[in-house]
Amino acid sequence: MKNRNLLMIPGPIEFDPAVLSAMGAPTTSHLAPNFVEAFGQALERTRQIFQCPDGQPFVLAGTGTLGMDAACANLVEPGDRALVVNTGYFGDRIGVILERYGAQVTHVKAAPGGHPGLDEVETALKAGGYKVMTVTHVDTSTGVLADLAGLAALGQRYGALVVADGVCSVAGEDLRMSEWGVDVAFTASQKAVGVPPGLALLVAGPRALAAFKARKTPAGSYYADWGNWLPVMEAYEARKTAYFGTPAVNLVFALNVSLGQILQEGLQARFARHARISRAVKAGIAALGMGQVPLSDAIAAHTMTAPRFPAGVNGADLLPQVSQAGVTLAGGLHAAIKNEYFRIGHMGAVSLGDALATIGAIETALAACGYAFQPGAGLAAAQKAYLA
Ligand SMILES: *Cc1c(COP(=O)(O)O)cnc(C)c1O
């Protein structure tokens, strides 16, 4: 018997074998020619994945939270005003980070599973004076997908720098930085980018870099200061070396492999694959009589699904049973509804087989919990949606 579960949480995810073998290769010097080439290429590819031809990529050792921290530390000066389009847990977090760097923060909040309307955000922006507006592209605590194009256009209209938390979206959902007017976006390696945890990827567009260069005070974080990393990123991209902090050599090799695979698949084909698998999972969940946290399909993400536990099933019993059936899923994260739902990640190298295995394991677990349903109903609906 296979002695490990299928990992279907919103990061870390299942990784491609070629990516994992790059992780296990002997570690080179960070100055070795093959590493310089891999890092340089990974930076070029990062710019492509973020769809920001004139952006400056930063690949840093750290997690997605470092991406959030770097965006805030480099853009905010004490007293600046910041608007958080808040759809849950990570909106709350970026609000705390912005405040840590001295910003006066206003939140436009939605009920769990909802999204603030563009009109509400515009009303807030009209009040004026926001230097920064942040948006969580996919809110991992609710599975809600923001209308980032619409929000970014508003941010641009009212003169705010638009920061997108793309940790649960980049390389799984379409995120067109340049075309949409997103000034900073970031993600983490362990989500749709498909590399074990440990790297933050951030791209700063020209307006964000100009705002950074115009600062009157130094960035509030030493490690995250773009001024420290910019010469390093520029050097490696020019296939030269420079030092500030030792790069995560094996992770960068693995990143370059994964980014190569992503571009090989093609961004649009990859987004379409995510959408198709998402439709299959969501159809399977619905056929089993479970609701979902996003208040409508139109605002549901394609990188994850957030099903509500069905009536009569205790969440604390269900997830261990799903794990017993061979698939690891995640519990709730949004404080207001934490015990009412669970989370399925389906991003990166995810396949139809993974989606069906997940729905099958959920069916097995529901049966173990004594829930009445037609066995196979979820699988049939998933397969039907996939083939439609
Ligand atoms: C996972 C996640 C983060 C935090 O990333 P870490 O790597 O856990 O620090 C931030 N924002 C969103 C939307 C996420 O999904």
Side-chain angles (χ1 to χ4, degrees):
M1 215 172 89
K2 187 161 77 79
N3 67 353
R4 63 174 289 275
N5 270 16
L6 183 66
L7 187 55
M8 297 292 286
I9 66 174
I13 60 167
E14 292 279 322
F15 301 119
D16 184 272
V19 172
L20 292 176
S21 67
M23 289 293 296
T27 304
T28 67
S29 160
H30 57 294
L31 309 176
N34 63 332
F35 179 72
V36 173
E37 178 57 30
F39 199 175
Q41 197 169 45
L43 289 164
E44 291 163 358
R45 289 170 167 174
T46 297
R47 190 183 283 112
Q48 286 178 264
I49 305 284
F50 282 74
Q51 304 186 73
C52 192
D54 56 356
Q56 174 59 51
F58 295 84
V59 172
L60 307 176
T63 74
T65 304
L66 175 64
M68 305 171 89
D69 200 50
C72 299
N74 287 288
L75 294 182
V76 166
E77 295 194 65
D80 285 342
R81 298 184 65 197
L83 185 69
V84 175
V85 180
N86 187 326
T87 43
Y89 185 92
F90 291 105
D92 291 345
R93 177 175 291 185
I94 206 161
V96 172
I97 299 171
L98 287 160
E99 276 169 4
R100 184 67 63 89
Y101 293 117
Q104 293 174 16
V105 180
T106 304
H107 292 261
V108 184
K109 284 200 185 193
H115 198 287
L118 289 179
D119 50 340
E120 282 173 74
V121 175
E122 181 161 18
T123 304
L125 284 167
K126 254 187 200 151
Y130 289 105
K131 179 171 182 191
V132 172
M133 176 180 89
T134 71
V135 180
T136 312
H137 192 195
V138 169
D139 193 300
T140 322
S141 69
T142 58
V144 167
L145 173 67
D147 173 6
L148 183 54
L151 290 164
L154 283 178
Q156 294 285 338
R157 187 172 321 144
Y158 292 95
L161 293 163
V162 178
V163 173
D165 175 345
V167 181
C168 197
S169 74
V170 170
E173 304 275 3
D174 206 355
L175 195 172
R176 306 182 183 191
M177 276 189 75
S178 298
E179 192 183 318
W180 294 351
V182 174
D183 296 297
V184 173
F186 51 83
T187 189
S189 52
Q190 78 275 16
K191 306 224 179 162
V193 165
V195 177
L199 291 177
L201 281 61
L202 179 146
V203 175
R207 291 199 332 151
L209 279 182
F212 168 72
K213 285 177 179 157
R215 292 181 66 97
K216 295 183 194 72
T217 56
S221 160
Y222 178 70
Y223 182 75
D225 188 337
W226 289 343
N228 288 328
W229 291 109
L230 196 54
V232 177
M233 301 301 143
E234 286 172 344
Y236 277 91
E237 210 175 333
R239 305 305 194 263
K240 296 183 186 136
T241 61
Y243 171 75
F244 172 63
T246 308
V249 171
N250 287 57
L251 279 165
V252 170
F253 274 121
L255 175 69
N256 193 37
V257 171
S258 192
L259 295 178
Q261 290 175 343
I262 291 167
L263 293 171
Q264 178 76 29
E265 179 176 14
L267 288 180
Q268 294 309 316
R270 187 175 177 91
F271 303 142
R273 174 170 58 82
H274 280 76
R276 194 175 181 194
I277 287 177
S278 173
R279 278 196 299 276
V281 171
K282 288 173 173 61
I285 291 298
L288 293 171
M290 283 183 265
Q292 287 163 43
V293 173
L295 299 179
S296 80
D297 274 355
I299 58 166
H302 306 101
T303 48
M304 62 173 289
T305 297
R308 289 184 168 275
F309 293 117
V313 171
N314 184 352
D317 297 336
L318 186 73
L319 290 190
Q321 290 290 346
V322 178
S323 175
Q324 192 82 21
V327 178
T328 300
L329 302 179
L333 182 61
H334 193 298
I337 53 171
K338 199 171 172 19
N339 298 318
E340 298 171 18
Y341 75 110
F342 62 102
R343 297 176 300 145
I344 307 169
H346 34 76
M347 55 185 122
V350 67
S351 66
L352 173 63
D354 297 335
L356 295 178
T358 302
I359 297 295
I362 291 170
E363 289 196 4
T364 305
L366 286 171
C369 291
Y371 179 67
F373 70 104
Q374 180 69 45
L379 285 166
Q383 187 69 278
K384 198 169 161 199
Y386 188 81
L387 297 173

